[in-house]
Amino acid sequence: MKKLFLIAIAAAGMMTAQAQQALEAPSFGDNWSIGIEGGGITPLYDGSSFIKDMRGGFGLNVRKQISPVFGLGVEGTAYVNTSYGESKTVIDNSYVGAFGTVNLFNLFGGYNCDGRVFDMEIQAGAGWLHYYVNGDGDYNAFGTKAGLNFNFNLTKNFTLSLKPAVLWNMSDAGVSQTSAAYNKEAAAFQIFVGATYKFGQGFKCADLKNQAEIDALNAQINALRGELDACVAANAAALASAAALQAELDACLNRAPQVIEKVTDNLQSVRYVFYKIGSSKITPDQQPNVEMIASYMKNHKDAKVVIKGYASKDGNLDFNIKLAAARAESVKTMLVKKYGISADRISAEGCGIGDMFTENDWNRVAICTLD
């Protein structure tokens, strides 16, 4: 049994080194836990009754998990007095010792970064046994303890365990044998249930990369830097183009309005419809001019009319361009809706700002040319 535990501890040490390669290095304050436990203990000597001679016990332990496989701790347990013992106190005997644990699941299955609901440990240790005789005097003994921990991990920090173990009195004190070491006549079996609270976040898996992955990531970084440089150059070119377009726009805005078209006066074929400032509505005094065009087109079935709308120089240029188009459309709309002239015989277009007349107000006009 002793050799088995030594082999397990050595294997745990090797696994510790391997596990640390894949885990972030914990600080000293990480992975501590405290536990309480309680249950029963019964002697193993010949003639004892396993159930009848069982008595209660309870304990406390503090533990540090060195690696996912190997842990170290200290524990203290006390066992309640029974009628068959020599002690006259409430506590029959006690045990205080140090122990080590080997997690078999992590040892053989590797550390699970997401945690396990259930795992199993070997626990072995040694310490001080004290017997409360209250007759010829108390006595002390060297004790060893070995067992298994069946752990049910309810949360990341809280665990319930079923803990069967055997406790040996390794000295000759209190026993009749010449050597009590690992002799069932000086041994007892205990079965405890424990509750353990773990402090901190436990072991964290490191996201390790091999050299090939690192080289590939560096290549991606260099490629992205090249793309960034290209984007910077393209942005500079776009800014230069925007500056040139802005200069052209400023030049256009500062340029004096140009006459789009000058219409020569033709008394036979041209009629004028004048408008109020800022308006495209045909006033009653201008409707006779539209009626004259409609009358001509009714009398001449092949005749067509070209309507060109203009605005004076007053006001915003963009608005005046739209206003000129609206004035041409207003004449076309009246010819179609009021006088029944076919729309395909009418061409209407806005021609912007006009300066045909020296009187600025007269340039608010729709010039209708009959063909």
Side-chain angles (χ1 to χ4, degrees):
M1 182 67 72
K2 182 177 180 181
K3 292 181 178 180
L4 176 62
F5 287 120
L6 291 175
I7 292 172
I9 292 172
M14 291 189 297
M15 288 300 295
T16 299
Q18 294 175 358
Q20 288 177 348
Q21 294 176 6
L23 300 175
E24 295 181 7
S27 66
F28 178 77
D30 291 333
N31 301 309
W32 287 90
S33 63
I34 185 169
I36 57 174
E37 55 191 13
I41 186 169
T42 187
L44 294 178
Y45 59 79
D46 289 337
S48 64
S49 173
F50 188 87
I51 300 298
K52 181 180 178 181
D53 293 338
M54 182 171 286
R55 61 190 187 278
F58 55 90
L60 175 72
N61 63 78
V62 178
R63 176 172 161 181
K64 165 71 172 176
Q65 195 67 29
I66 307 301
S67 75
V69 174
F70 184 56
L72 292 175
V74 293
E75 64 176 332
T77 55
Y79 305 101
V80 179
N81 188 16
T82 59
S83 60
Y84 72 87
E86 298 178 342
S87 174
K88 306 260 187 320
T89 62
V90 174
I91 303 302
D92 193 46
N93 52 56
S94 62
Y95 170 77
V96 177
F99 63 86
T101 61
V102 176
N103 189 302
L104 298 178
F105 279 37
N106 290 339
L107 176 64
F108 296 109
Y111 180 66
N112 188 334
C113 296
D114 297 326
R116 290 187 171 92
V117 177
F118 173 78
D119 60 48
M120 185 169 64
E121 296 174 318
I122 296 174
Q123 179 172 326
W128 170 51
L129 274 169
H130 184 75
Y131 294 85
Y132 302 87
V133 177
N134 292 330
D136 297 332
D138 296 357
Y139 60 88
N140 301 308
F142 173 65
T144 59
K145 186 177 179 182
L148 295 173
N149 297 334
F150 298 95
N151 299 321
F152 299 88
N153 302 303
L154 303 184
T155 68
K156 191 172 184 178
N157 298 96
F158 185 71
T159 298
L160 285 180
S161 303
L162 181 64
K163 308 174 74 173
V166 177
L167 177 62
W168 288 276
N169 181 341
M170 302 294 289
S171 67
D172 296 335
V175 296
S176 60
Q177 291 78 12
T178 304
S179 175
Y182 299 111
N183 190 317
K184 72 174 184 177
E185 296 296 324
F189 174 80
Q190 73 173 39
I191 180 77
F192 276 11
V193 173
T196 302
Y197 183 80
K198 304 171 187 177
F199 297 92
Q201 298 299 315
F203 293 99
K204 295 182 180 180
C205 290
D207 186 14
L208 301 181
K209 305 293 183 182
N210 60 35
Q211 189 58 45
E213 291 175 329
I214 294 173
D215 293 341
L217 290 174
N218 284 332
Q220 292 181 16
I221 292 171
N222 292 332
L224 290 173
R225 285 175 177 169
E227 292 178 9
L228 178 60
D229 293 339
C231 289
V232 171
N235 185 56
L239 291 175
S241 177
L245 291 173
Q246 185 63 46
E248 292 181 14
L249 177 62
D250 293 340
C252 290
L253 293 175
N254 295 328
R255 187 183 305 157
Q258 297 179 353
V259 176
I260 298 175
E261 183 179 353
K262 291 186 178 180
V263 179
T264 57
D265 192 9
N266 188 332
L267 297 177
Q268 298 299 323
S269 60
V270 178
R271 293 294 179 268
Y272 302 89
V273 180
F274 294 95
Y275 297 83
K276 292 184 178 181
I277 185 169
S279 174
S280 61
K281 181 179 179 181
I282 299 173
T283 57
D285 62 305
Q286 295 299 310
Q287 289 184 14
N289 295 328
V290 181
E291 186 176 356
M292 291 173 65
I293 298 170
S295 177
Y296 182 89
M297 296 185 74
K298 288 179 179 179
N299 294 331
H300 301 83
K301 300 299 183 182
D302 295 330
K304 296 183 178 181
V305 64
V306 177
I307 306 169
K308 296 186 177 182
Y310 294 87
S312 64
K313 300 178 182 179
D314 305 290
N316 180 270
L317 175 61
D318 291 338
F319 175 78
N320 285 334
I321 291 174
K322 294 178 182 178
L323 184 59
R327 286 168 175 170
E329 286 294 328
S330 68
V331 177
K332 178 178 178 179
T333 300
M334 181 172 283
L335 287 173
V336 173
K337 292 186 176 181
K338 186 171 183 177
Y339 298 105
I341 305 301
S342 177
D344 59 3
R345 299 174 64 191
I346 305 170
S347 174
E349 62 178 316
C351 296
I353 296 174
D355 64 348
M356 296 76 65
F357 304 99
T358 56
E359 288 294 327
N360 187 47
D361 293 349
W362 292 8
N363 289 316
R364 305 178 193 126
V365 64
I367 301 175
C368 308
T369 304
L370 291 162
D371 182 11

